[in-house]
Amino acid sequence: MNAKRILVTGAAGFLGSHLCDSLLDAGNSVIGVDNLSTGNEANLAHLRNEPRFDFDRLDICQPFDPGKVDFVFNFASPASPVDYARLGVETLLVGSAGTINTLEIAKKYHAGYLHASTSECYGDPEVHPQTETYWGHVNPIGPRSVYDEAKRFSEAAVMAYHRYDRVNTHLVRIFNTYGPRLQINDGRVISNLMSQALRGEPLTIYGDGMQTRSFCYVSDLIAGILALADSDEHLPVNIGNPEEWTILSCAEEILKLIGSDKKVVFKPLPQDDPTRRRPDISKATRLLGWTPKIQLRQGLEMSLAYFQAHAETGLVQNS
């Protein structure tokens, strides 16, 4: 993908900003849009003088027209428990109206389209590891449902535009990702634990710490997404690191990295928090030739300077 005019929604977010960088590095022009409800303009500050990058602050839940584009990457949505807990209705709207509006742009300009979906479509899974053919185990009325069901609706919308309007769509189901620009106070595992360790605080573990996650470094994730965008695959594809870690072992790894002897404290597990999370990436490997290259310890080392610079800016709110 190069020399194209590309729209990226959620451009000021963690993943959206890294995606903008990679698209520009490949020789494209990028229009980034974000309403900054959870995104941060600081994530794009280094692009301020880039002539091939334009940023517009707008809400994609309202119809808009960026002009002719060759491709649309829809990454707009609150993505952390802290954010979608406070922006529940907004999360539902961006997953429904916002997704439809961006699909209409792709349809109008015969553009390719990639939607950022999530492993949360699997809910608290009864199948492990999670394959793309698994339909999920989701509580449709629980506290996480505003995010889970928004993403499940958006997948249905993307497939509808592909089937009925022949839009060249792609669906990526993103598993836990970390790296520089991850919000410090967003309530996710890596940001919580790294921030607490760097502030010299005990590390908060929710539940018994035996629940698992699989952590993908951001550059690996973006490489997988770009490979998917260039493919002929229209059904969902898992992108994530299949190495499975318990939350407790992840906390211990972070303490070793920081050189801290702080202990962990245990708090109740939030409702509907998934007990196990690990992607089956055989489809991505087979179709895209993609596998992650960076394992957790290396990725944490590569993220350390960022977290050291920002650890004091946020307080842990959730997990």
Side-chain angles (χ1 to χ4, degrees), residues 82-143:
V82 170
D83 287 336
Y84 58 71
R86 69 182 176 85
L87 297 170
V89 172
E90 292 86 346
T91 301
L92 288 166
L93 284 170
V94 77
S96 52
T99 300
I100 295 293
N101 287 337
T102 56
L103 283 162
E104 283 291 324
I105 292 169
K107 176 183 173 182
K108 178 178 180 178
Y109 293 113
H110 305 286
Y113 185 96
L114 185 142
H115 177 71
S117 190
T118 173
S119 61
E120 294 301 325
C121 287
Y122 300 121
D124 188 3
E126 297 173 321
V127 171
H128 191 80
Q130 291 80 61
T131 65
E132 292 89 347
T133 55
Y134 176 52
W135 291 355
H137 178 228
V138 176
N139 179 355
I141 58 171

Side-chain angles (χ1 to χ4, degrees), residues 173-215:
R173 287 182 180 155
I174 297 170
F175 282 69
N176 292 62
T177 306
Y178 68 100
R181 302 180 200 163
L182 184 65
Q183 292 184 89
I184 296 298
N185 62 345
D186 74 352
R188 285 182 275 195
V189 175
I190 297 294
S191 51
N192 274 6
L193 298 178
M194 286 285 278
S195 299
Q196 289 180 317
L198 287 166
R199 292 197 297 263
E201 301 170 357
L203 274 58
T204 303
I205 300 291
Y206 293 84
D208 61 6
M210 291 297 103
Q211 66 271 35
T212 67
R213 298 293 184 268
S214 300
F215 302 106

Side-chain angles (χ1 to χ4, degrees), residues 246-297:
T246 68
I247 302 300
L248 189 57
S249 63
C250 177
E252 292 167 348
E253 190 73 9
I254 287 172
L255 287 172
K256 285 190 288 186
L257 172 68
I258 303 300
S260 172
D261 59 358
K262 292 293 180 180
K263 305 300 182 184
V264 299
V265 294
F266 295 89
K267 293 187 177 181
L269 192 67
Q271 182 180 341
D272 299 328
D273 194 65
T275 54
R276 301 192 76 182
R277 186 68 91 223
R278 177 189 170 198
D280 182 320
I281 63 166
S282 56
K283 184 177 181 179
T285 301
R286 183 180 73 254
L287 294 181
L288 311 177
W290 177 87
T291 54
K293 299 176 181 178
I294 298 170
Q295 298 308 310
L296 183 60
R297 180 57 182 254

Side-chain angles (χ1 to χ4, degrees), residues 128-166:
H128 191 80
Q130 291 80 61
T131 65
E132 292 89 347
T133 55
Y134 176 52
W135 291 355
H137 178 228
V138 176
N139 179 355
I141 58 171
R144 302 172 72 97
S145 64
V146 292
Y147 182 65
D148 299 355
E149 297 297 353
K151 290 294 189 180
R152 286 160 68 92
F153 173 88
S154 60
E155 286 198 6
V158 169
M159 290 307 303
Y161 272 77
H162 173 68
R163 291 190 179 106
Y164 301 122
D165 295 308
R166 304 295 185 224

Side-chain angles (χ1 to χ4, degrees), residues 4 7 14 30 41 54 93 186 203 231 267 309 313 315:
K4 298 183 183 298
L7 172 67
F14 166 48
V30 175
E41 280 188 288
D54 292 308
L93 284 170
D186 74 352
L203 274 58
S231 78
K267 293 187 177 181
T313 64
L315 299 176

